[in-house]
Amino acid sequence: MRLSELQTGQKAYIVKVNGSGAFRKRILEMGFIRGEEVKSILNAPLKDPIKYEIMEYEVSLRRSEAVMIEISMLAGDARNDALHKEEALLEEVFASETEENNNGTETRASLQRHDRPHPEKRIRVALLGNPNSGKTTIFNLASGAHEHVGNYSGVTVDSKEGTLRHNGYEFTLIDLPGTYSLSAYTPEELFVRKHILDEKPDVIVNVVSASAAERNLYLTTELIDLKVPIVIALNMYDELEESGRTFDYETFGSLINIPMVPTVGKRGEGIPQLLEKVIDIYKQEEFDYVQIPYGRVLEKSIGIMEREFKNVEPTLYAGWNMPLRYICVKLLEGDRDVEKRVRTLPQQEQIFSRRDKERIYIEKLLREDPESAFTNARYGFIAGGLKETLTEKTQFSEKTKLLDALVTHKYIGFPLFFLFLWVMFEATFRLGNYPMEWIEWLVEQLGNLVRGNMQEGPLKALVVDGIIGGVGGVIVFLPNIVILYLFIAFMEDSGYMARAAFIMDKLMHRIGLHGKSFIPLIMGFGCNVPAIMATRTIESRSSRMITMFIVPFMSCSARLPVYILFVSAFVPKYGGLVMLGLYAFGILIAALTARILRKTAFKEEETPFVMELPPYRMPTTKSIITHMWDRSSQYLRKMGGPILIASIVIWFLGYFPQNAERDAAFDSEIAMVDAQYDRSEISDEEREEKTTEIEHLRNTTHQENSYIGNIGKFIEPAMRPLGFDWKISVSLLSGMAAKEIVISTMGVLYTGDSEDQQSLQHRLKAESYADGSPIFTPLVVAGFLLFVLIYFPCVASVVAIKEESHSWGWALFSVLYSTGLAWFIAFLVYQIGNLLI
Ligand code: GDP
Ligand code: MG
């Protein structure tokens, strides 16, 4: 029987996982091993994927993947077999502990600690663990104010560092991406493994979620094999206690010879004790390492492989920093990274041929392939230890069950999700409006203040029009961005994001992606750059690449100011609706692009959809605020640097060259008007009117003849068919640095009445051609908004695409594709619109 045939609510036992490669490995590592109990909990609204409970946590699988897993409804042979194995393994551990004294077999190996790079009281500590085990929480809490922030998403994709002092020691904490194992299949796994091997942190803190200890400890078994100094943070201890279970972690810790410290990351409990243990381990000169017993058959093969290495000069692989036993185990497992390394050895041929023989042996004797055999043995080791120390779980959290029933409901699931998104955008737009007005007012006051108190001249123009006008135009959107991030932070921290991926999987599947891609896409609404980086969590390269290319069509918060400005100026009544429409259109383009790419450049099969669904957790105010602050400060920093520079450059291009002759001509015209007034030929009002007219003409002539005017005019012919004039063209051009700059440029270009600092909104609405017809007709506004939505992801995101795809070619492709498409769509809107209206 197949897992996919299991009815909702039924239980069964795993017999075997079919298939191959990354998918199979991941499934095994997630705990789908022989004899394990699995329960089908519920179907997504579109019947696919399906949520299963295994090893006390929840995971979602697609139907097409569940087909690959053979099950049996009877605990029968599968279960007994596995249990026997666990017991046998456990016996072996205890037996070997005594054996050690008798005949000296090396089950506990003693190892001299590697050279310490810092003889001072400085400890480098790497935080390692499964996704969602609480690494970042502990990191933030422990490193407090000293953190360097580089992490954006709920998904840590890069390492980030922070420092703290405790008991006279200086700790450097490194928050690593979450991984389920250290096999070399996903980029994160490779990253983490490389970090351990190459950076050699002094102590590794393995963060283990106590509420899913069995699966979390799998990673620990891999660390044990690497013989690195470890302390286990038994995090989420509160959840374990709430579920009414007890865990004799001291006994378990002594079994694996690793100190375990219970912690509650959320409340900071146990962190000082954890640091104490880290110091203890750091000070320790020698270590006793437990060896994971792999059972007689595998141990024999490992021994044979070790002997094979006798002929190899040890210095040749000493630089890998891997114990020989680890190398042999990984070779037998078929680990690609280790295979690659071994291929550089002169004896590689013998080693590989021996390895292949041993693999066949294992398969014959154990009736399962080496990968499963090793995974089973590791899980067996953990299960054996936990059986003695951890009491059985009674019930899955009612709260999670109830919420999931609602959130993933057949009929309610989607409406709820879209309602949430709608509330998010409404709040961003409406709520954000109030503080936005205050900031706008402040910027105006500041502008007028400076205007009134500075000497006429280029410097005044630079400060007022360049700096205050440019940066001020962008800073007013800070409240909107803070609100948007508040929502995203809440979604990520509560666990709802994973449910969104779960219910979206089937739809994402239609465009050739899977639910996991949905998370970077949603993040893209915040900022495309971290979103592009978050695509790293997608295992298959083709899906990763496609996701990366479509992320820029998600309206990032940098585009938000542009939308808000135009929406509040031209369609204030339907603000929320128009914005939602823009976001939706971006999504549509993304979907079409994904389909096209899947059919052409990236035809390869899709990734497995194996995703953990963490229990719902109420986010702490602190974590949400940190999250929000991280992102908002990122926005502010962007403004300090690039936007300020861009504003100044654009101001410069717009201010120069000055033309004294022309200025004099305008001055004399004004003088003439004044003279007329003095002679009482015209009234005060008439004088006012005429002067304004002349000033306006002066400004326009000046701008047209400035450098920027010339650049704008140069590209104008290409933009004319879209109804864009040269000012719009220049704004769009400058927006390539960052989309907010579109606005700051407009702030500089549309100077309006120079005597009074009006809001940009008014200035835009007043803008007209020489014949008095408005520049921003509804069609131009629509085309412009779409153009901003689609064209050229900012410089930073192009760099991110280059980094993630490792190719300038693909980055360039992304630029050309998006800009071309933007032009084409704005063209259609303007031309077809003109025909119809
Ligand atoms: P990471 O993926 O390992 O970095 O995990 P995070 O630090 O992002 O934490 C995942 C979730 O677990 C967040 O919602 C945290 O608020 C929550 N969390 C962290 N530590 C604890 C804890 O000790 N107890 C409980 N109940 N929740 C926690
Ligand atoms: Mg994290």
Side-chain angles (χ1 to χ4, degrees):
M1 191 178 164
R2 302 302 173 124
L3 185 56
S4 52
E5 297 161 41
L6 197 64
Q7 300 294 314
T8 305
Q10 279 185 330
K11 271 187 209 167
Y13 300 91
I14 308 285
V15 174
K16 192 174 162 201
V17 178
N18 295 316
S20 64
F23 164 74
R24 180 156 187 282
K25 179 96 184 147
R26 168 52 45 86
I27 293 275
L28 289 171
E29 285 164 358
M30 302 273 297
F32 286 79
I33 51 166
R34 193 192 316 166
E36 199 57 41
E37 184 184 292
V38 59
K39 192 170 161 191
S40 165
I41 311 182
L42 68 92
N43 281 301
L46 302 172
K47 292 267 173 221
D48 201 12
I50 309 164
K51 187 167 91 167
Y52 296 101
E53 185 185 320
I54 189 160
M55 282 199 183
E56 303 176 340
Y57 74 96
E58 295 179 348
V59 65
S60 84
L61 283 182
R62 274 189 193 148
R63 205 166 280 278
S64 59
E65 286 150 8
V67 171
M68 312 282 261
I69 300 171
E70 287 179 26
I71 51 166
S72 153
M73 296 298 280
L74 303 167
D77 15 67
R79 185 70 177 163
N80 287 338
D81 198 27
L83 273 181
H84 274 145
K85 221 167 175 179
E86 277 164 22
E87 266 151 31
L89 281 171
L90 197 67
E91 265 164 34
E92 252 180 79
V93 185
F94 286 124
S96 57
E97 266 174 27
T98 41
E99 253 175 52
E100 191 180 13
N101 306 328
N102 300 341
N103 54 18
T105 27
E106 263 198 319
T107 312
R108 274 172 188 267
S110 203
L111 203 84
Q112 201 69 29
R113 131 160 255 145
H114 53 241
D115 328 321
R116 212 171 265 164
H118 321 290
E120 329 89 89
K121 290 183 153 190
R122 283 205 196 138
I123 315 180
R124 286 181 67 80
V125 179
L127 290 169
L128 207 77
N130 283 189
N132 264 308
S133 54
K135 297 175 297 300
T136 308
T137 311
I138 291 181
F139 174 85
N140 283 340
L141 213 112
S143 62
H146 296 287
E147 77 196 315
H148 298 258
V149 181
N151 181 25
Y152 259 94
S153 51
V155 208
T156 313
V157 285
D158 253 329
S159 61
K160 71 177 185 180
E161 285 192 13
T163 56
L164 82 143
R165 303 197 131 270
H166 183 80
N167 276 7
Y169 282 86
E170 190 182 310
F171 291 81
T172 303
L173 292 186
I174 303 140
D175 186 19
L176 292 170
T179 58
Y180 293 106
S181 80
L182 292 181
S183 40
Y185 277 113
T186 68
E188 295 115 33
E189 284 166 2
L190 265 181
F191 182 90
V192 171
R193 186 147 113 186
K194 275 221 176 75
H195 186 94
I196 299 174
L197 298 178
D198 301 344
E199 309 285 321
K200 285 200 263 182
D202 298 319
V203 179
I204 288 173
V205 168
N206 180 199
V207 183
V208 164
S209 163
S211 55
E214 191 169 4
R215 195 210 57 222
N216 273 255
L217 285 165
Y218 182 83
L219 177 65
T220 313
T221 61
E222 294 218 51
L223 290 174
I224 292 174
D225 273 350
L226 269 174
K227 294 195 174 160
V228 282
I230 316 171
V231 176
I232 291 181
L234 198 57
N235 199 33
M236 316 243 172
Y237 205 71
D238 55 330
E239 284 188 0
L240 181 96
E241 284 178 329
E242 266 165 36
S243 66
R245 296 193 296 170
T246 56
F247 183 24
D248 179 3
Y249 57 86
E250 277 170 2
T251 305
F252 189 85
S254 66
L255 175 69
I256 57 173
N257 200 31
I258 298 174
M260 289 181 121
V261 184
T263 57
V264 181
K266 223 161 57 168
R267 299 197 291 261
E269 289 167 22
I271 308 286
Q273 291 86 330
L274 181 69
L275 295 175
E276 292 298 326
K277 272 282 178 281
V278 169
I279 297 175
D280 284 353
I281 291 284
Y282 179 70
K283 285 202 277 202
Q284 213 165 308
E285 285 300 327
E286 262 187 16
F287 283 95
D288 283 341
Y289 287 99
V290 174
Q291 278 189 358
I292 306 289
Y294 286 109
R296 292 186 214 298
V297 177
L298 295 178
E299 286 295 345
K300 195 163 158 241
S301 294
I302 296 171
I304 288 171
M305 291 311 293
E306 280 176 340
R307 240 167 288 141
E308 204 60 46
F309 270 81
K310 284 263 150 62
N311 310 325
V312 184
E313 178 62 39
T315 50
L316 287 178
Y317 56 85
W320 303 352
N321 292 323
M322 296 174 182
L324 183 56
R325 181 180 161 87
Y326 182 82
I327 297 176
C328 296
V329 168
K330 286 289 151 186
L331 262 184
L332 288 167
E333 275 190 278
D335 181 277
R336 285 180 295 186
D337 177 49
V338 171
E339 281 180 357
K340 211 168 82 195
R341 291 170 192 256
V342 170
R343 248 178 235 122
T344 62
L345 299 176
Q347 287 83 355
Q348 57 114 345
E349 248 170 69
Q350 292 107 287
I351 293 174
F352 274 109
S353 80
R354 171 61 72 185
R355 196 275 309 253
D356 295 342
K357 266 188 212 141
E358 289 307 316
R359 276 176 69 101
I360 294 168
Y361 243 16
I362 293 170
E363 202 139 12
K364 245 192 207 152
L365 285 175
L366 295 179
R367 273 172 294 125
E368 62 188 346
D369 63 298
E371 269 184 358
S372 318
F374 277 101
T375 313
N376 282 346
R378 290 194 187 105
Y379 267 121
F381 174 67
I382 301 162
L386 287 181
K387 218 173 105 204
E388 310 280 304
T389 51
L390 181 66
T391 54
E392 290 255 341
K393 167 167 194 174
T394 44
Q395 258 300 309
F396 219 80
S397 153
E398 283 302 319
K399 182 181 66 181
T400 293
K401 244 188 194 160
L402 198 76
L403 276 173
D404 264 355
L406 206 69
V407 156
T408 60
H409 187 269
K410 225 191 294 184
Y411 302 116
I412 313 174
F414 280 112
L416 213 59
F417 178 53
F418 288 112
L419 182 74
F420 185 84
L421 288 185
W422 181 77
V423 169
M424 173 162 115
F425 292 128
E426 271 299 296
T428 304
F429 183 63
R430 277 188 212 277
L431 237 54
N433 243 346
Y434 301 102
M436 182 175 146
E437 277 166 14
W438 308 331
I439 297 180
E440 209 166 43
W441 181 82
L442 275 178
V443 171
E444 273 175 34
Q445 295 309 307
L446 186 69
N448 284 336
L449 192 76
V450 176
R451 207 184 280 278
N453 288 308
M454 267 179 85
Q455 287 260 302
E456 277 306 324
L459 190 65
K460 175 176 170 180
L462 170 67
V463 173
V464 176
D465 296 329
I467 298 174
I468 298 180
V471 175
V474 176
I475 205 171
V476 298
F477 298 104
L478 191 64
N480 305 87
I481 279 151
V482 169
I483 294 174
L484 181 71
Y485 280 140
L486 174 76
F487 278 86
I488 294 186
F490 181 81
M491 253 170 110
E492 274 175 7
D493 287 4
S494 62
Y496 185 59
M497 197 76 112
R499 270 68 187 188
F502 178 70
I503 62 171
M504 288 304 291
D505 183 60
K506 183 125 189 213
L507 287 178
M508 297 301 286
H509 201 82
R510 296 240 168 90
I511 59 169
L513 294 173
H514 73 67
K516 255 192 182 175
S517 299
F518 193 68
I519 292 171
L521 292 180
I522 282 276
M523 278 172 50
F525 290 133
C527 176
N528 287 178
V529 177
I532 290 168
M533 280 158 52
T535 56
R536 264 185 226 178
T537 50
I538 301 164
E539 280 135 64
S540 112
R541 183 184 137 84
S542 64
S543 298
R544 199 162 62 235
M545 294 292 285
I546 295 177
T547 312
M548 207 183 298
F549 288 131
I550 65 174
V551 162
F553 297 122
M554 300 297 117
S555 291
C556 63
S557 56
R559 271 165 268 192
L560 196 61
V562 187
Y563 299 164
I564 294 176
L565 174 71
F566 277 79
V567 162
S568 29
F570 298 100
V571 271
K573 272 197 199 132
Y574 305 101
L577 209 63
V578 171
M579 301 256 289
L580 195 63
L582 279 168
Y583 278 85
F585 193 73
I587 295 168
L588 182 74
I589 299 262
L592 292 176
T593 304
R595 283 204 78 134
I596 295 171
L597 287 173
R598 179 59 84 191
K599 291 245 159 68
T600 53
F602 303 101
K603 279 196 208 141
E604 188 194 317
E605 36 67 66
E606 295 145 36
T607 18
F609 182 65
V610 198
M611 194 182 62
E612 191 188 345
L613 295 168
Y616 287 99
R617 298 188 172 111
M618 195 59 204
T620 60
T621 326
K622 187 172 181 242
S623 81
I624 295 232
I625 292 194
T626 321
H627 223 122
M628 230 166 68
W629 170 245
D630 268 15
R631 291 157 183 217
S632 307
S633 65
Q634 190 88 14
Y635 181 80
L636 282 174
R637 243 173 294 153
K638 204 154 121 191
M639 212 148 43
I643 295 184
L644 182 63
I645 293 170
S647 296
I648 294 176
V649 168
I650 289 158
W651 168 83
F652 177 88
L653 292 175
Y655 191 77
F656 293 102
Q658 290 284 2
N659 187 327
E661 245 171 71
R662 205 176 56 219
D663 264 354
F666 280 114
D667 280 344
S668 68
E669 262 186 62
I670 291 179
M672 258 158 63
V673 174
D674 285 346
Q676 277 180 323
Y677 174 72
D678 288 341
R679 292 196 298 271
S680 304
E681 288 171 17
I682 50 173
S683 70
D684 194 21
E685 264 168 40
E686 276 173 311
R687 175 177 83 151
E688 188 72 40
E689 207 173 286
K690 284 197 175 173
T691 318
T692 315
E693 211 169 281
I694 297 167
E695 283 292 346
H696 186 74
L697 194 64
R698 181 216 291 264
N699 281 340
T700 348
T701 332
H702 171 73
Q703 273 176 349
E704 282 194 59
N705 291 299
S706 65
Y707 294 123
I708 210 160
N710 286 316
I711 300 176
K713 291 235 179 77
F714 179 73
I715 59 167
E716 195 186 3
M719 305 303 256
R720 259 290 115 211
L722 319 181
F724 295 174
D725 71 344
W726 66 268
K727 287 185 187 178
I728 301 180
S729 312
V730 167
S731 306
L732 290 172
L733 202 63
S734 60
M736 290 185 156
K739 295 252 162 116
E740 299 99 323
I741 298 180
V742 170
I743 294 210
S744 48
T745 310
M746 290 188 148
V748 178
L749 286 182
Y750 297 112
T751 45
D753 187 347
S754 59
E755 288 309 306
D756 180 33
Q757 185 90 0
Q758 277 179 313
S759 79
L760 187 54
Q761 273 185 35
H762 288 107
R763 287 183 263 157
L764 286 179
K765 275 200 273 197
E767 197 66 17
S768 60
Y769 286 109
D771 65 2
S773 62
I775 292 196
F776 290 100
T777 64
L779 284 180
V780 170
V781 171
F784 174 78
L785 285 175
L786 288 171
F787 197 95
V788 170
L789 163 68
I790 303 166
Y791 91 116
F792 196 91
C794 65
V795 173
S797 54
V798 175
V799 173
I801 292 180
K802 185 252 150 189
E803 288 294 312
E804 296 301 319
S805 64
H806 306 291
S807 138
W808 273 115
W810 283 119
L812 190 70
F813 165 79
S814 164
V815 172
L816 295 180
Y817 173 75
S818 58
T819 311
L821 192 67
W823 190 92
F824 183 65
I825 288 181
F827 177 79
L828 286 185
V829 167
Y830 189 69
Q831 297 298 339
I832 295 181
N834 268 335
L835 284 180
L836 296 179
I837 298 170

